[in-house]
């Protein structure tokens, strides 16, 4: 590190320590120093220590300079300045460029002369050759990987990510019940959900359906007859969108959350098979096993022809 000045050493070392902290501490989506204040304090102390070390090094150098004679001091400062100029970068650039110094160009001048313009016989620069060779190696590996061994391409990766996204969305929906809709709603059987559904029913529905579900203004909820469907999806849709136009129940989707509609719909289905005090006459069609079965009456017609 002696080849780098302090304004490079301090940020570099601090970044290495910061990266190590982030790597070894699982802090979820937020950086570790935001999730844990102690980590922020630790990083702050590390930064102070690094600055203190650089200050001490600078102070020691100043003390040493005072003890040197003028000639030794000049040599030391010249060497330090030379070090901080990053001569290794300049040397590396010269090697990668591969060109001849101007003083030696006479050795590679070609005989061509175009109106006084001469041409140099320079070799291709090493950086170009290395890049060219690297592209050949990359092309060969790419050809084998994707065209010979049928490796996964971008379309395959996209399909995999989309499939995983669907799985993640479904898993999230299971914990985010308020995202439920008529296509994803399922019958809730948990006691807490049914209790919440009962509260919603008693608050909003008993005026039309009675507390025991026997029906009044609204239809009987205890029999097998349903006007708009008697499964959880049908009941949820009826609660959400409302009943028949002009004479049915209002749409509750503006007043109730999706989870609340799922809860009250599940509670409504618990009335099936119960005996209300004053059941209303059946309306609609028989609903069994999620299939609508319409009762029909067979009328026998006398087809005897009298002469």
């Amino acid at each position: 590190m002696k080849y780098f000045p302090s304004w490079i050493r301090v940020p570099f070392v601090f970044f290495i320590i910061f990266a190590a902290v982030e790597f070894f501490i699982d802090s979820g989506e937020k950086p570790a120093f935001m999730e844990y204040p102690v980590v922020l304090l630790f990083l702050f102390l590390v930064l102070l220590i690094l600055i203190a070390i650089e200050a001490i090094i600078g102070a020691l150098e100043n003390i040493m300079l005072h003890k040197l004679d003028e000639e030794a001091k000049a040599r030391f400062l010249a060497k330090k300045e030379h070090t901080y100029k990053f001569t290794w970068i300049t040397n590396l650039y010269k090697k990668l460029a591969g060109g001849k110094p101007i003083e030696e160009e006479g050795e590679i001048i070609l005989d061509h002369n175009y109106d006084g313009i001469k041409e140099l016989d320079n070799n291709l620069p090493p950086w170009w050759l290395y890049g060219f060779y690297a592209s050949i190696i990359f092309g060969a590996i790419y050809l084998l990987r994707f065209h010979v061994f049928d490796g996964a391409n971008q379309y395959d990766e996209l399909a995999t990510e989309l499939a995983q996204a669907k799985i993640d969305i479904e898993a999230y929906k299971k914990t985010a019940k308020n995202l439920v809709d008529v296509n994803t709603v399922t019958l809730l059987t948990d006691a807490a959900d049914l209790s919440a559904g009962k509260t919603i029913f008693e608050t909003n529905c008993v005026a039309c359906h009675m507390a025991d579900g026997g029906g009044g203004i609204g239809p009987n909820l205890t029999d097998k007859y349903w006007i708009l469907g008697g499964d959880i999806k049908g009941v949820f849709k009826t609660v959400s969108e409302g009943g028949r136009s002009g004479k049915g129940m209002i749409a509750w989707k503006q007043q109730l959350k999706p989870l609340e509609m799922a809860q009250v719909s599940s509670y409504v289905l618990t009335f099936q098979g119960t005996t209300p005090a004053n059941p209303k006459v059946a309306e609609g069609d028989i609903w069994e096993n999620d299939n609508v079965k319409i009762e029909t009456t067979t009328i026998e017609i006398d087809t005897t022809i009298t002469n």
Side-chain angles (χ1 to χ4, degrees), residues 47-113:
L47 182 60
L48 288 180
I49 291 172
L50 291 176
I51 295 174
I53 291 174
E54 293 299 328
I56 293 171
I57 291 175
L60 292 176
E61 285 183 353
N62 290 332
I63 294 172
M64 183 182 67
L65 283 174
H66 287 300
K67 295 181 179 180
L68 297 176
D69 56 32
E70 293 298 325
E71 184 178 351
K73 185 185 297 185
R75 286 199 306 268
F76 176 82
L77 292 175
K79 183 178 179 181
K80 184 176 181 180
E81 182 180 359
H82 179 74
T83 300
Y84 286 174
K85 284 183 177 178
F86 302 108
T87 53
W88 61 274
I89 296 180
T90 304
N91 295 333
L92 178 63
Y93 170 77
K94 289 179 179 179
K95 288 181 181 180
L96 291 178
K100 289 253 184 202
I102 295 178
E103 297 80 8
E104 300 177 12
E105 285 185 350
E107 302 174 5
I108 56 173
I109 290 181
L110 297 175
D111 295 334
H112 304 160
N113 190 327

Side-chain angles (χ1 to χ4, degrees), residues 141-168:
I141 295 174
Y142 186 93
L143 177 67
L144 292 172
R145 178 74 174 84
F146 295 103
H147 295 282
V148 176
F149 299 107
D150 294 325
N153 54 34
Q154 292 176 329
Y155 296 103
D156 298 327
E157 292 176 1
L158 177 61
T160 302
E161 290 176 0
L162 289 176
Q164 184 60 45
K166 289 181 179 179
I167 295 173
D168 294 340

Side-chain angles (χ1 to χ4, degrees), residues 47-298:
L47 182 60
L48 288 180
I49 291 172
L50 291 176
I51 295 174
I53 291 174
E54 293 299 328
I56 293 171
I57 291 175
L60 292 176
E61 285 183 353
N62 290 332
I63 294 172
M64 183 182 67
L65 283 174
H66 287 300
K67 295 181 179 180
L68 297 176
D69 56 32
E70 293 298 325
E71 184 178 351
K73 185 185 297 185
R75 286 199 306 268
F76 176 82
L77 292 175
K79 183 178 179 181
K80 184 176 181 180
E81 182 180 359
H82 179 74
T83 300
Y84 286 174
K85 284 183 177 178
F86 302 108
T87 53
W88 61 274
I89 296 180
T90 304
N91 295 333
L92 178 63
Y93 170 77
K94 289 179 179 179
K95 288 181 181 180
L96 291 178
K100 289 253 184 202
I102 295 178
E103 297 80 8
E104 300 177 12
E105 285 185 350
E107 302 174 5
I108 56 173
I109 290 181
L110 297 175
D111 295 334
H112 304 160
N113 190 327
Y114 303 96
D115 296 330
I117 301 175
K118 296 183 179 182
E119 184 179 357
L120 297 177
D121 187 20
N122 272 317
N123 294 324
L124 288 171
W127 69 264
W128 192 95
L129 285 174
Y130 298 153
F132 181 66
Y133 296 148
S135 66
I136 293 175
I137 296 171
F138 174 82
I141 295 174
Y142 186 93
L143 177 67
L144 292 172
R145 178 74 174 84
F146 295 103
H147 295 282
V148 176
F149 299 107
D150 294 325
N153 54 34
Q154 292 176 329
Y155 296 103
D156 298 327
E157 292 176 1
L158 177 61
T160 302
E161 290 176 0
L162 289 176
Q164 184 60 45
K166 289 181 179 179
I167 295 173
D168 294 340
I169 289 172
E170 293 303 320
Y172 176 71
K173 284 182 177 180
K174 291 179 180 179
T175 58
K177 294 183 178 180
N178 264 321
L179 293 179
V180 68
D181 58 23
V182 68
N183 298 312
T184 59
V185 65
T186 56
L187 183 66
L188 302 177
T189 58
D190 186 75
D193 288 323
L194 294 178
S195 177
K198 180 180 180 181
T199 301
I200 297 168
F201 184 87
E202 292 175 347
T203 303
N204 303 289
C205 309
V206 294
C208 297
H209 295 284
M210 302 302 169
D212 57 6
I217 300 174
N220 185 352
L221 302 176
T222 65
D223 55 32
K224 294 183 179 181
Y225 289 82
W226 293 85
I227 300 173
L228 296 174
D231 64 342
I232 185 61
K233 294 183 184 296
V235 176
F236 182 92
K237 182 177 181 181
T238 303
V239 173
S240 174
E241 305 300 327
R244 293 166 294 175
S245 178
K247 59 179 179 180
M249 178 178 66
I250 65 169
W252 287 95
K253 60 184 177 182
Q254 301 300 329
Q255 288 91 340
L256 299 177
K257 297 178 181 179
L259 174 58
E260 292 174 331
M261 291 189 291
Q263 290 170 333
V264 73
S265 299
S266 299
Y267 176 73
V268 163
L269 291 176
T270 62
F271 287 122
Q272 289 288 287
T274 61
T275 305
N278 298 297
K280 188 178 179 181
V281 177
E283 299 175 85
D285 306 315
I286 290 181
W287 188 279
E288 291 181 352
N289 299 325
D290 294 344
N291 294 311
V292 175
K293 295 183 179 180
I294 302 176
E295 279 195 338
T296 58
T297 303
T298 303

